[in-house]
Amino acid sequence: MPIFWIAFLFLVIAHEFGHAIIIRKFGFWVEEIVLQGIGGYCRWAGEATEMQETIISWGGILAQLVLMALAQIAIMIFGPPTNIYTFQIYHAFIGANLWMILFNLMPIEPLDGAKAWRILDVIRDYVNDKLKANKHKRQDKKIAKEMNRIMNIKVKPENIEETEKTNK
């Protein structure tokens, strides 16, 4: 199955270049891309934040998903594989690609999943911050309404801190 292995090698290269593209977008330096066995790695240099490292770890998976989408589009346009060679390419870009994505997303070092799943913490923190901000807005509105009622003054919720300082 030489065509499969060539397509699989292309898939591994695309995965590593996915990391490299994100690394360069952040302004860091790609030192080397190494292929070994049935995988590889992208060595880079730079002082990345935890969020940047998380995004970089998703770069390879995103590149694989792009290849998978392109393969699916090709099948929709040209139809299913009709010979052994196109079947091997299809199998590499769809079947093996899916297994490679699942394998890489396992939360074990040195796989991408060890850092990629930090995105859930980032999303959780973002949602919590938004919920806290909304809670404070509701509290500010209640305080403003109560100040308006008690002190017979007009206070906008966004001006509560200034009003409290001037009334002291």
Side-chain angles (χ1 to χ4, degrees):
M1 292 181 33
I3 301 299
F4 169 83
W5 288 110
I6 291 168
F8 187 82
L9 176 65
F10 182 77
L11 182 63
V12 172
I13 292 169
H15 176 96
E16 298 308 330
F17 270 90
H19 291 303
I21 289 168
I22 303 293
I23 290 164
R24 293 298 301 144
K25 289 285 183 191
F26 283 131
F28 303 130
W29 182 253
V30 176
E31 293 180 342
E32 66 180 341
I33 292 177
V34 177
L35 303 177
Q36 57 187 24
I38 59 169
Y41 62 90
C42 179
R43 187 182 353 235
W44 57 281
E47 294 294 322
T49 65
E50 186 174 350
M51 182 61 178
Q52 288 171 325
E53 284 183 357
T54 300
I55 294 169
I56 289 168
S57 69
W58 280 100
I61 301 299
L62 293 174
Q64 286 181 252
L65 289 172
V66 166
L67 282 178
M68 186 182 292
L70 291 174
Q72 289 290 14
I73 290 168
I75 289 169
M76 290 184 337
I77 293 171
F78 302 112
T82 56
N83 61 51
I84 190 67
Y85 305 112
T86 55
F87 178 78
Q88 288 177 31
I89 294 169
Y90 167 80
H91 180 59
F93 284 0
I94 304 292
N97 191 357
L98 181 60
W99 283 109
M100 188 174 156
I101 288 170
L102 293 173
F103 179 77
N104 270 304
L105 285 176
M106 291 187 339
I108 302 167
E109 286 287 346
L111 301 176
D112 295 329
K115 293 181 182 172
W117 293 116
R118 292 182 197 164
I119 197 78
L120 297 176
D121 294 334
V122 171
I123 292 169
R124 183 197 65 226
D125 293 344
Y126 176 80
V127 168
N128 285 339
D129 289 347
K130 287 294 181 185
L131 291 173
K132 285 178 187 175
N134 287 337
K135 180 180 177 182
H136 290 300
K137 284 180 185 176
R138 287 192 307 272
Q139 288 174 340
D140 288 350
K141 285 180 183 178
K142 286 180 184 178
I143 292 169
K145 186 177 179 181
E146 192 63 18
M147 288 175 74
N148 291 337
R149 186 183 68 78
I150 294 171
M151 303 171 89
N152 200 20
I153 58 172
K154 294 293 180 195
V155 177
K156 294 181 181 178
E158 57 271 9
N159 297 335
I160 287 178
E161 288 181 21
E162 290 177 23
T163 304
E164 289 175 343
K165 288 177 187 174
T166 57
N167 288 336
K168 284 186 180 178

